Amino acid sequence: MNLMDMLSADPPSSLYSPQMNGVDTAYEDSKPRDPFAVSDEVLPDNAVCYLPTLLTRFQQSVVDLLLHLFSSELLNEVKSKRLRTSIDSLLESAPTTKENGLNTYEKISLLYEQLMKVNCNPSLLVDHFIPKKILLVETNERQTNLSGKSQLFNRIVDSLIDTKRYPEGFYMLVVAGSVKELELIEGLILGKRLYYENYSSAKLYDDKRPIPNLKAAINPESKLCLNLITSQQLYNNYLSASSTKSVDYNMIFSFDAELDVDIPSIQILRPNPQECPIFIPVPIYSIEHIAQQFPKPTSSLNFSNDTSDPMYKHKLKVIKALVVNKFHVREIDGANFFVDNYGSKMEKFKSWLEKSTVENPIKKYTEKVALTFTDDKLIKKLNICFTESINGGFDSLGDFDYKSYRSQIAEALHGKLFQIEETIAELNNNVIPEKRKYESSRQSHYDDDEDLISSGYRKLRKLSDEATVQEKTLCRIESDLVKVEEIQTEKQRRLDKLKEHTDHVHTEEDLQKQKASLEELHQELAKMTEEFDKLNQECETLRSSYQMSSATAVQLSSMLAQLKEKDSELNKKVNGQGLTSLPALMKKDALLNYESQLNRIQKENQFMSGLFNEKIDKLYKERQVVMETSNSGSSSRPSNRVSRSSTPL
C-alpha cells in the first residue's frame, strides 16, 4: 500500500482505542456484528429478543422522501471519497460550515435522527405535541397503519386479552423513547379490555380508579395490565414503590431499540430474566435493523461536530447500508408476514412466553442484509431510489438550514397527501364506475347464462327421464327375446329328434326287442305299484301312530310346561324377597308380641303395686288414728297398747 492509499483510507480503529483521544471503545469498521444471533431454541442470558415487524407503506414513502431530500449530500459524500487527495484527508477533520446552512455532520445527523423517528412512528416528526382531541378521535386502524411497531404491539395486546392462560393476571411493562411516543401508545390501547397506568406527566386519560389486584380478584373484567413509562424515567427509577413491590412483570416490551438492560432499575424488576423477557420490535430492513449490524462507538468528548467523529462515520455507514438493502422490502409477503412469523392469533409468541424458547424469526431476514458493497452499487441504488420512488418533482435540499428542511418536508408530505387524494378521486370518479359498469354487465351475462342453463337443464331432465323409460322397455324386450329364443331352440331340437325318428327304418328285430323291453317295463311297473301300495299302507299306519303319539306328546308337553311354570313360581317364592325377609319378619313379630306382653305385665304389676301401696297406706293411717285416740284416757293405766287382733285386709 502506497502513501496516498494510506492517507485516503479511513482512519484505523486503533485511533479510537481507550489510549487515544479519550474514546472508550474502538470503532471496528471491518467487523460487523449480529445482535440477533440468538439461539434457535433458548433465549440468551439477558432474555432480550428482537421481534421482526414491517415498515408500513406510509413509513416507506417517508423514508424514500427523506433520502431523496438528502440525496445531494449523500452523492457528494460518495463521489468526494473517490476524488479525495492526501492533503484533503489530512484536513478532513475541519468542519465544512456554511453561513446560512448546516454542515455535513449536522445534515447526516439530522437525516439519521429523522429516519429513526420515522422508524418508530411518522407522527414523531411533528415538533409540537399532538392535541389530545386529535389522538382520541383517531381509529385503531389508522394508528396501526402509521407504524409497523404499533401493528405488532396491537396484535400482541389483542392476543393477550383473549387468552385464558394466566389466571393470576398478566403484567407487561411498556417502555418508549419519549413522552410523545408514549402518548401515541396510550391512544392505541384506549378502549381495549385491559388495565393500564401511564407514569409520564402527559396523559391522554387520567383514570382516578386504582387498578385492582388481579391475583386476588375472582372474576376481574380483564387479566391484562400495562404500565407505560419512558426509558429515561426507567433509568432514573421513577416507578413508585407501591407499583414495583407488588408487581411481578411477565414481560417487558420496549419501543426503544437502544434500551440498556443492564441498569439496576431494570435488574430489580427482573430478578430472573428468563421469567421476564424483554421483547424489542425491529422493522426489517429499516435503519434500526441495519444499525444493529454495526458496533456503535461511544460518543467523543470533542464537540466540534466534524466528519472525523466515529459517531458520524457510524451513522453514514448505516444510512448507506439502508439505501442498498431497502429494496428487500419488496420481496416480503406483507399479507402473511405475521402469521408466518408468529402463528395464527400469535400462538407462537404466546408459546415463547410460557417456554422461554424463541425460534429467532428475525435471523432469516438478517442473513440477507448486505453489509459490504461498492460505491458504484451505492450510487446505482441511490439513482434508482431517487428517480422511481419520489413523485411530485421535489429536488434534493442542497444547502439548507433546519427551518427550510422542515418547510420542504412539510411541502413534500402535503404533495404526497395531495397525490393520494388525486389518486383516490381518480379511482372514485373513473376507475370504480367503470369497474362497476363492467361488473354489472358481467353479472347480467351471468344471469342470462344461468337462465339458459336452467332451461337446458329442464330439457335435459325430461330427456333423461324419457331415456330411462326407454332403457327399461329395452331391457324388458331383451329379456323376452331371450326367453323366446330359448323356447324356439327347444322346439327346434325336438323337431329334429322327431324327424330323426321318422326317417329311421325299423326292422323286425328292433320291434321284438322293443316288445321285450316293453314287457319288462310292464313287469317292473307292476312290482313298483305293489311296493308303492305296501308303502302307502305302512305310511298310513305310521301316520296314525304318529298322530296318537304326537297327541300324547302334546299333552305331556303341556303338562311339562305347567309343571315348569309351577316350579318357577315356587323358585321365585323360595328365592324371592318375601322368603328371605320372612325370618326377620317372624323375629320382629315375636319381639313385638313379647314387648306387648311385657308392657301388659308391667302395667298389671304397676297397678297391683299401686293398689297394695294404697291399701297399706290406708291401714297405716287408720292405725295411727287409733293409737292417737287411745292415749286420751287415764294416765295411770296405759292404754296405748296396740290391739293384737288380726288386721283386716
Side-chain angles (χ1 to χ4, degrees):
M1 180 181 293
N2 54 24
L3 180 61
M4 183 173 290
D5 294 335
M6 294 176 63
L7 294 175
S8 61
D10 292 336
S13 60
S14 60
L15 183 63
Y16 310 109
S17 61
Q19 291 80 14
M20 301 293 292
N21 297 336
V23 181
D24 297 332
T25 305
Y27 180 73
E28 300 177 358
D29 189 14
S30 61
K31 192 175 182 181
R33 65 184 180 90
D34 184 10
F36 309 117
V38 186
S39 173
D40 291 342
E41 296 181 355
V42 185
L43 284 172
D45 294 336
N46 57 0
V48 178
C49 178
Y50 295 91
L51 300 179
T53 184
L54 288 174
L55 286 174
T56 62
R57 295 180 62 181
F58 184 71
Q59 284 179 303
Q60 296 176 20
S61 300
V62 177
V63 169
D64 294 339
L65 178 61
L66 288 172
L67 293 176
H68 176 75
L69 294 177
F70 288 85
S71 60
S72 60
E73 193 66 32
L74 294 174
L75 288 172
N76 291 335
E77 201 281 332
V78 175
K79 293 177 181 179
S80 63
K81 185 176 180 181
R82 291 184 170 186
L83 302 176
R84 190 181 304 163
T85 60
S86 60
I87 302 300
D88 293 334
S89 64
L90 292 174
L91 300 176
E92 185 183 15
S93 59
T96 58
T97 57
K98 307 281 183 183
E99 293 182 358
N100 297 322
L102 303 175
N103 58 19
T104 304
Y105 180 91
E106 292 172 342
K107 290 179 181 179
I108 297 301
S109 299
L110 178 61
L111 175 59
Y112 186 86
E113 176 190 354
Q114 298 298 300
L115 289 174
M116 280 293 186
K117 289 183 179 180
V118 173
N119 193 69
C120 295
N121 198 317
S123 300
L124 299 176
L125 292 176
V126 181
D127 287 338
H128 58 80
F129 277 87
I130 302 175
K132 294 183 179 181
K133 292 183 179 180
I134 297 179
L135 288 177
L136 291 175
V137 298
E138 287 288 340
T139 59
N140 186 276
E141 290 77 9
R142 293 183 63 179
Q143 292 183 8
T144 54
N145 287 334
L146 288 178
S147 173
K149 291 185 177 182
S150 299
Q151 287 183 354
L152 178 60
F153 177 71
N154 186 59
R155 287 174 177 268
I156 291 175
V157 170
D158 290 342
S159 64
L160 293 176
I161 290 174
D162 297 334
T163 188
K164 298 181 180 178
R165 303 182 184 181
Y166 306 99
E168 296 183 353
F170 189 90
Y171 292 88
M172 178 167 56
L173 181 65
V174 182
V175 184
S178 62
V179 178
K180 188 185 298 183
E181 187 176 6
L182 211 60
E183 276 194 350
L184 297 173
I185 298 170
E186 185 179 0
L188 185 65
I189 64 175
L190 270 176
K192 293 184 180 293
R193 193 161 42 88
L194 51 81
Y195 301 101
Y196 82 94
E197 184 174 358
N198 191 349
Y199 290 105
S200 67
S201 57
K203 300 179 182 180
L204 293 182
Y205 176 71
D206 192 6
D207 193 356
K208 302 298 183 180
R209 295 172 298 177
I211 298 176
N213 187 3
L214 301 181
K215 296 182 179 180
I218 300 176
N219 291 317
E221 296 180 0
S222 175
K223 291 290 186 179
L224 179 60
C225 180
L226 273 63
N227 290 333
L228 312 181
I229 192 172
T230 62
S231 56
Q232 192 62 39
Q233 286 177 322
L234 188 61
Y235 294 159
N236 296 332
N237 196 12
Y238 279 2
L239 284 175
S240 61
S242 61
S243 62
T244 55
K245 290 181 180 179
S246 60
V247 175
D248 295 330
Y249 289 104
N250 303 98
M251 165 187 160
I252 296 177
F253 192 89
S254 175
F255 284 84
D256 187 3
E258 298 179 353
L259 181 68
D260 188 3
V261 299
D262 297 328
I263 60 174
S265 59
I266 294 182
Q267 293 179 356
I268 291 173
L269 297 177
R270 303 169 68 214
N272 187 3
Q274 296 294 335
E275 295 181 358
C276 180
I278 297 178
F279 293 101
I280 301 176
V282 177
I284 55 177
Y285 307 125
S286 65
I287 190 167
E288 283 185 3
H289 191 191
I290 303 300
Q292 294 288 349
Q293 311 305 315
F294 297 98
K296 184 178 180 180
T298 56
S299 300
S300 175
L301 298 178
N302 186 9
F303 298 100
S304 60
N305 294 338
D306 54 18
T307 56
S308 63
D309 188 8
M311 186 60 69
Y312 168 80
K313 293 182 178 295
H314 171 74
K315 293 178 180 179
L316 185 61
K317 186 180 291 292
V318 171
I319 294 173
K320 290 179 180 179
L322 173 65
V323 174
V324 175
N325 293 281
K326 70 182 295 296
F327 298 94
H328 292 304
V329 180
R330 303 175 183 176
E331 304 172 359
I332 301 171
D333 184 11
N336 301 320
F337 177 80
F338 290 101
V339 177
D340 295 338
N341 289 285
Y342 303 104
S344 178
K345 296 182 179 180
M346 306 296 288
E347 289 297 331
K348 286 185 181 179
F349 178 78
K350 288 186 279 189
S351 66
W352 298 344
L353 292 176
E354 295 176 358
K355 302 178 183 178
S356 298
T357 57
V358 179
E359 297 178 0
N360 193 12
I362 202 172
K363 182 179 180 181
K364 58 183 178 181
Y365 302 107
T366 306
E367 293 173 352
K368 297 181 181 180
V369 176
L371 301 178
T372 57
F373 44 85
T374 61
D375 293 338
D376 294 334
K377 184 177 180 180
L378 177 60
I379 295 173
K380 182 179 178 182
K381 293 289 185 181
L382 283 171
N383 292 328
I384 294 174
C385 176
F386 302 147
T387 56
E388 292 183 356
S389 59
I390 302 299
N391 296 320
F394 294 100
D395 297 329
S396 60
L397 291 172
D399 297 334
F400 63 94
D401 55 5
Y402 185 74
K403 184 177 181 180
S404 61
Y405 156 73
R406 299 299 295 179
S407 62
Q408 187 72 12
I409 193 174
E411 184 179 355
L413 290 175
H414 180 72
K416 189 70 175 177
L417 180 61
F418 182 73
Q419 178 187 355
I420 293 173
E421 290 178 352
E422 286 184 345
T423 305
I424 294 174
E426 178 69 19
L427 291 174
N428 292 331
N429 297 330
N430 299 327
V431 179
I432 294 179
E434 291 295 331
K435 287 188 176 293
R436 286 176 179 171
K437 188 183 297 183
Y438 170 74
E439 185 66 26
S440 60
S441 63
R442 191 164 66 95
Q443 191 64 36
S444 63
H445 286 303
Y446 282 165
D447 295 338
D448 296 338
D449 293 340
E450 288 178 356
D451 295 337
L452 182 62
I453 290 171
S454 62
S455 61
Y457 176 74
R458 286 193 292 270
K459 293 179 181 179
L460 180 63
R461 184 67 179 271
K462 185 177 180 180
L463 292 174
S464 178
D465 295 339
E466 293 177 357
T468 303
V469 174
Q470 295 296 331
E471 186 176 359
K472 291 181 180 179
T473 306
L474 179 61
C475 292
R476 186 170 62 255
I477 292 172
E478 287 180 352
S479 62
D480 294 341
L481 179 61
V482 170
K483 292 180 181 179
V484 170
E485 287 179 352
E486 290 178 354
I487 294 172
Q488 187 69 25
T489 304
E490 183 65 22
K491 289 181 178 180
Q492 187 66 34
R493 186 183 63 78
R494 291 181 180 181
L495 180 61
D496 294 338
K497 191 173 182 181
L498 289 174
K499 286 182 179 180
E500 183 181 357
H501 283 290
T502 54
D503 295 339
H504 183 68
V505 179
H506 298 283
T507 59
E508 288 293 334
E509 294 180 357
D510 293 334
L511 292 175
Q512 292 296 328
K513 288 180 181 179
Q514 288 180 1
K515 288 181 180 179
S517 61
L518 185 59
E519 289 178 357
E520 290 178 358
L521 289 174
H522 281 299
Q523 291 176 2
E524 288 290 334
L525 180 58
K527 291 180 181 179
M528 294 299 295
T529 304
E530 290 178 0
E531 291 180 358
F532 180 71
D533 293 337
K534 290 180 181 179
L535 290 173
N536 280 335
Q537 292 177 0
E538 292 178 358
C539 183
E540 289 294 335
T541 306
L542 291 174
R543 184 181 293 111
S544 60
S545 61
Y546 172 73
Q547 289 178 354
M548 293 175 62
S549 60
S550 62
T552 306
V554 169
Q555 294 177 358
L556 293 175
S557 62
S558 62
M559 292 174 63
L560 179 61
Q562 292 176 359
L563 292 174
K564 286 183 177 179
E565 288 179 359
K566 291 181 179 180
D567 184 60
S568 62
E569 290 178 358
L570 292 174
N571 287 330
K572 288 181 181 179
K573 290 181 179 180
V574 171
N575 298 324
Q577 296 181 357
L579 191 61
T580 54
S581 61
L582 184 59
L585 293 174
M586 292 174 64
K587 184 177 180 180
K588 185 177 180 181
D589 185 62
L591 289 174
L592 291 174
N593 291 332
Y594 291 151
E595 287 178 357
S596 62
Q597 292 178 7
L598 179 61
N599 292 332
R600 183 173 56 80
I601 293 171
Q602 287 179 351
K603 289 181 180 179
E604 290 178 356
N605 187 17
Q606 185 178 2
F607 175 75
M608 294 301 294
S609 298
L611 181 61
F612 280 112
N613 290 331
E614 184 180 357
K615 294 293 184 181
I616 292 172
D617 291 339
K618 184 178 180 181
L619 294 174
Y620 179 75
K621 289 179 181 179
E622 291 176 354
R623 184 174 178 276
Q624 289 294 333
V625 170
V626 171
M627 291 179 66
E628 288 176 359
T629 53
S630 61
N631 292 330
S632 60
S634 175
S635 61
S636 62
R637 185 178 179 182
S639 60
N640 56 354
R641 185 167 54 91
V642 180
S643 176
R644 294 183 179 178
S645 61
S646 60
T647 303
L649 181 62

